[in-house]
Amino acid sequence: MKLLSEFKLGNITLKNRTVMAPLTRCRAIDNIPNDLMAKYYAQRAGAGLLITEGTAPSPNGLGYARIPGVYSEAQISGWKKVTDAVHENNGKIFLQIMHTGRVSHPNNMPEGAKVLAPSAIALSGKMYTDEEGEQPYPIPQEMTVQEIEEAIEEYVTGAKNAIKAGFDGVEIHAANGYLANQFISPITNKRKDEYGGSIDNRLKFVLEVAQRVTAAIGAERTGIRISPYGVFNDLGPFEGIDATYEQLAKAMGELGLVYLHTVDHEDMGAPAVPNAIKETVRKAFGGTIIASGGLNGDSAEAILQSGDAELTAFGRPFISNPDLAKRFEHNLDLTEPNQDLFYTPGAEGYTDYPVASTASV
């Protein structure tokens, strides 16, 4: 199987082409990575590449309850436990840097942090908080140019801290309706300055983040995740969307980013992402593509054989099958995850999923 073959990604060699997709799991008490998280990632080090859950580059970037950060010494030390455990198990791991922007609530943030976004447009619905349960999303503060500059530098500091913590690289989260995606989409970006309006202006934030992160840690250690046609967090298609993502992919390719990670949530009920835009993005980027979204072993293998992607990412299967690559190798049944325990604190539904026996294989 091509899925189980080695792949050279930048300066590292992946032992297979299965990627563990970033998965919010809400186990970081006080937003600090811990021993339980180190065990969780180490259990899944059989993947060719692990990409961590979305991790805040600053207090302003915190969204959900109990998500980790990468802006304090305590967090760097906590992540060092994770990277050491993964590397001891012959794994490779990237940190996903996620500033949630308007997808947040003050109850999930430390005192003094602010819910910021390109424009003062509130997300519909409610967000869970440990303090008061479900709460309506607040109207975010529209970012000043100075706050935009500060946020860009927070990504850079986060990337540097990730390398300090022992990560093999970082993934810039520009998908699923979080801050970078909020700048890209005219649904959430109504600005009249140099960060809003035209395609060039709406891409300015994510391009500046990518430029400065690659300058700080190297393009060979920097990837990016995008979700064209994604509808998560109140986003969706807009006029000029194909041209926007073609231009974005081309710019990322010119920077030499080590991969472009595309999201397709059709299996979770979202509209299908047109194959045409996937192909456009792939050609415009010209480098390693990670495909994700509802894949199984057979569909991933087909994508790899077709040349539509070089790597394939799996989310929920990795939650309940820490030895997913081994199960693919031996054609073993997969364990179904308990969705009620996706975001709860503690080991249950997190580190207690069994590995499969291959004694009879």
Side-chain angles (χ1 to χ4, degrees):
M1 294 176 70
K2 195 167 187 178
L3 182 60
L4 300 175
S5 65
E6 286 188 350
F7 182 77
K8 189 79 184 311
L9 182 72
N11 295 331
I12 61 175
T13 299
L14 310 183
K15 57 193 169 191
N16 59 58
R17 299 178 188 235
T18 68
V19 176
M20 180 172 141
L23 296 157
T24 295
R25 300 306 311 276
C26 299
R27 262 69 176 191
I29 307 304
D30 296 326
N31 309 115
I32 299 172
N34 49 50
D35 292 339
L36 183 65
M37 291 170 61
K39 180 179 180 180
Y40 167 79
Y41 284 107
Q43 288 175 337
R44 289 152 182 80
L49 177 67
L50 301 172
I51 306 174
T52 73
E53 60 215 274
T55 301
S58 68
N60 290 344
L62 292 169
Y64 304 103
R66 291 170 268 107
I67 67 170
V70 68
Y71 51 85
S72 74
E73 288 302 320
Q75 290 164 346
I76 294 169
S77 296
W79 278 124
K80 188 69 167 60
K81 296 178 182 179
V82 174
T83 60
D84 283 348
V86 169
H87 291 147
E88 285 167 9
N89 284 274
N90 195 31
K92 303 295 184 185
I93 185 167
F94 273 38
L95 177 91
Q96 189 193 64
I97 303 177
M98 176 180 76
H99 191 307
T100 57
R102 70 174 186 163
V103 189
S104 187
H105 191 279
N107 286 2
N108 291 338
M109 308 169 83
E111 186 175 351
K114 297 180 285 188
V115 181
L116 299 173
S119 300
I121 302 170
L123 185 63
S124 65
K126 296 181 178 181
M127 167 171 271
Y128 174 81
T129 70
D130 283 336
E131 188 176 329
E132 296 181 284
E134 298 281 339
Q135 293 294 310
Y137 286 100
I139 298 173
Q141 296 181 40
E142 180 171 312
M143 298 171 78
T144 65
V145 171
Q146 178 60 35
E147 287 169 335
I148 291 172
E149 172 64 26
E150 290 168 357
I152 293 168
E153 281 303 308
E154 288 167 359
Y155 281 85
V156 176
T157 300
K160 291 178 179 177
N161 288 345
I163 301 305
K164 183 178 177 182
F167 283 96
D168 298 294
V170 304
E171 176 177 279
I172 298 165
H173 197 358
N176 299 349
Y178 299 112
L179 184 65
N181 200 178
Q182 291 163 28
F183 273 97
I184 293 168
S185 174
I187 296 171
T188 43
N189 184 348
K190 305 294 185 182
R191 301 180 70 91
K192 305 298 184 184
D193 62 5
E194 67 267 36
Y195 288 95
S198 68
I199 292 175
D200 285 346
N201 287 4
R202 285 184 283 107
L203 292 179
K204 184 176 171 63
F205 178 83
V206 68
L207 292 185
E208 290 183 344
V209 168
Q211 287 164 352
R212 295 194 208 175
V213 168
T214 56
I217 68 168
E220 75 282 359
R221 296 196 289 194
T222 307
I224 190 168
R225 197 178 205 217
I226 63 171
S227 55
Y229 286 83
V231 297
F232 194 55
N233 285 322
D234 280 0
L235 292 190
F238 54 85
E239 185 178 351
I241 187 169
D242 288 9
T244 298
Y245 278 95
E246 181 176 17
Q247 186 169 323
L248 174 58
K250 185 173 185 293
M252 295 299 107
E254 289 171 350
L255 276 175
L257 264 65
V258 75
Y259 68 72
L260 183 77
H261 184 178
T262 60
V263 180
D264 185 338
H265 282 154
E266 181 183 4
D267 72 305
M268 297 172 67
V273 179
N275 287 329
I277 188 62
K278 293 180 183 179
E279 178 67 8
T280 295
V281 163
R282 184 180 70 82
K283 289 182 176 178
F285 181 62
T288 296
I289 297 290
I290 302 178
S292 68
L295 299 179
N296 57 36
D298 290 340
S299 59
E301 181 69 17
I303 287 173
L304 295 172
Q305 292 290 350
S306 71
D308 289 339
E310 286 70 40
L311 299 168
T312 50
F314 305 84
R316 286 165 292 172
F318 259 118
I319 290 177
S320 50
N321 300 276
D323 55 344
L324 186 64
K326 185 175 79 171
R327 294 188 189 226
F328 287 151
E329 180 181 1
H330 297 289
N331 197 29
L332 302 176
D333 291 338
L334 301 187
T335 301
E336 287 297 315
N338 184 344
Q339 297 191 33
D340 293 338
L341 301 174
F342 277 4
Y343 310 114
T344 53
E348 188 180 7
Y350 188 59
T351 55
D352 58 352
Y353 285 105
V355 296
S357 170
T358 57
S360 61
V361 175

